[in-house]
Amino acid sequence: MTKPFDHESLWIKAKLFINRAMDDGVRSFDEQALWSALALELLAKAALSRVSPLLIAEPNEEGTNLLIASGLIQGDARFTSVRAKTLMARCHKAFKPFDQAEAMKIINGRNEYLHSSGVGFLAIPPHAWWPRYWAQAATLVTALDRDIEELVGADRERTVTAYLEQNARNLEQRTEALIERAKQRRQQWLDGTLSAKVTAEWKTGHSLSAQMAHSEATTCPACGSIGLLEGDEVVDVEINYPEVTGYGPEEYEVSDWDDTSVTLTVGADYFSCPFCQLILNSYDLINQAELDTQFEVEGDVDDYLPDEPDYGND
């Protein structure tokens, strides 16, 4: 592997950028946020590259970047990695509870700050921005099997820890507020005291769903009715073959294999309840509400059973 794709080099550069961002009294908040956003992208690259540098190399027709990243060839080709959106999507799938949507708010703020006349990072006040930033950065640091002290040093670790604790409280308060509002809304619905506007916005179960690939009915933490837990990401596949009790030809009847089944374990990313209109639209909120963060569903056998081997008799 050549240096541009090396996770250690990316980690060292991320350390440089985040420590530059934490120079209080030297830089304005927007400049601090810019260096922090750049550091977050480097941390994402380092975390993925540590698993495989191929996860961050931009593919092209000649495959030069992939070949360099894999170490098959050496060269001075211009380093090109995948887009930030792709990086964050891959980290979201690989490193729970990394939140792609939260990370993209940081990346979009950077893009707006650099490439447009917009306010960029100034849309969110610093006291609210830093706890959200560190919630994502800390997950990537853990994915690298490092700790915050290694990233920012012992003197600044306490500052980061305070932001992380604040984010945890914010998440707890946000989840509590959503659940309490859902309870209140449900009671108003039953009492017929909802405003006409809210009543007009009341959605049925189907329209409230995020229409993800997999779902499971589960108890709503607000009203106790049956809501819907959904997710797209399959984190585990278990193929359940029929039990064979003997060695005779009758044990290998084709009909026996009809009993083969597939169990998928799916990561939960969205919950909705049509009875109180509660929506929890992230892993963090679902986890904080003490709902299952994974659920099992039956998969299609044809999608997961291996094809019959090619015996090469053609």
Side-chain angles (χ1 to χ4, degrees):
M1 183 201 326
T2 57
K3 197 169 183 179
F5 297 97
D6 176 43
H7 67 87
E8 286 289 351
S9 300
L10 293 165
W11 162 257
I12 291 171
K13 197 169 186 179
K15 288 176 63 175
L16 173 67
F17 282 10
I18 195 63
N19 279 282
R20 190 171 292 172
M22 296 181 78
D23 289 338
D24 289 329
V26 177
R27 308 181 195 286
S28 61
F29 167 64
D30 54 349
E31 190 179 354
Q32 288 182 310
L34 174 62
W35 285 114
S36 299
L38 295 172
L40 185 72
E41 186 170 347
L42 287 168
L43 286 173
K45 288 178 181 176
L48 290 169
S49 180
R50 187 167 179 266
V51 178
S52 171
L54 298 177
L55 291 172
I56 66 169
E58 175 72 24
N60 56 19
E61 188 173 352
E62 297 80 14
T64 304
N65 293 324
L66 298 176
L67 291 169
I68 292 175
S70 64
L72 287 175
I73 65 171
Q74 299 292 320
D76 298 324
R78 178 172 171 267
F79 172 70
T80 307
S81 71
V82 294
R83 295 181 304 161
K85 183 178 181 181
T86 303
L87 287 172
M88 302 311 165
R90 290 178 181 177
C91 287
H92 175 74
K93 287 181 178 294
F95 309 126
K96 294 292 184 184
F98 185 83
D99 190 318
Q100 180 185 356
E102 282 291 309
M104 284 311 299
K105 289 176 185 174
I106 296 168
I107 298 301
N108 290 337
R110 178 202 66 181
N111 293 339
E112 186 174 350
Y113 183 80
L114 288 175
H115 304 301
S116 82
S117 59
V119 295
F121 304 107
L122 300 178
I124 302 175
H127 70 270
W129 194 88
W130 286 111
R132 295 164 69 173
Y133 173 84
W134 279 110
Q136 306 314 314
T139 301
L140 296 177
V141 171
T142 301
L144 283 157
D145 293 324
R146 305 276 191 167
D147 57 40
I148 294 297
E149 182 180 349
E150 291 179 85
L151 182 66
V152 301
D155 292 344
R156 288 171 166 169
E157 183 185 14
R158 283 172 291 182
T159 302
V160 177
T161 301
Y163 283 132
L164 290 171
E165 289 174 349
Q166 185 179 339
N167 186 70
R169 286 198 300 274
N170 290 341
L171 181 63
E172 182 181 350
Q173 291 170 355
R174 171 69 174 155
T175 307
E176 182 180 359
L178 287 170
I179 290 176
E180 289 304 313
R181 173 56 186 145
K183 289 178 180 177
Q184 180 189 59
R185 192 165 46 223
R186 172 68 172 163
Q187 192 58 50
Q188 286 181 290
W189 172 264
L190 294 173
D191 295 341
T193 57
L194 272 178
S195 68
K197 184 175 186 301
V198 176
T199 302
E201 294 171 348
W202 199 271
K203 296 180 180 179
T204 63
H206 182 74
S207 56
L208 209 62
S209 163
Q211 306 294 311
M212 291 184 169
H214 307 285
S215 63
E216 177 189 56
T218 194
T219 303
C220 173
C223 69
S225 303
I226 298 301
L228 197 65
L229 199 59
E230 298 179 66
D232 284 326
E233 182 187 356
V234 175
V235 297
D236 191 34
V237 178
E238 181 180 356
I239 301 176
N240 311 299
Y241 292 101
E243 184 176 355
V244 177
T245 57
Y247 296 96
E250 64 276 9
E251 279 78 16
Y252 292 94
E253 292 286 337
V254 174
S255 58
D256 289 343
W257 298 101
D258 290 342
D259 294 332
T260 302
S261 63
V262 174
T263 302
L264 307 179
T265 301
V266 180
D269 276 321
Y270 189 90
F271 170 82
S272 61
C273 174
F275 297 95
C276 66
Q277 307 283 287
L278 174 65
I279 291 178
L280 303 172
N281 60 359
S282 73
Y283 171 94
D284 285 341
L285 290 172
I286 289 170
N287 187 43
Q288 183 65 41
E290 298 183 347
L291 290 172
D292 292 335
T293 55
Q294 294 184 345
F295 59 91
E296 292 184 349
V297 295
E298 185 177 349
D300 188 331
V301 173
D302 293 335
D303 290 340
Y304 294 96
L305 272 183
D307 295 332
E308 291 187 9
D310 183 359
Y311 295 101
N313 293 328
D314 294 339

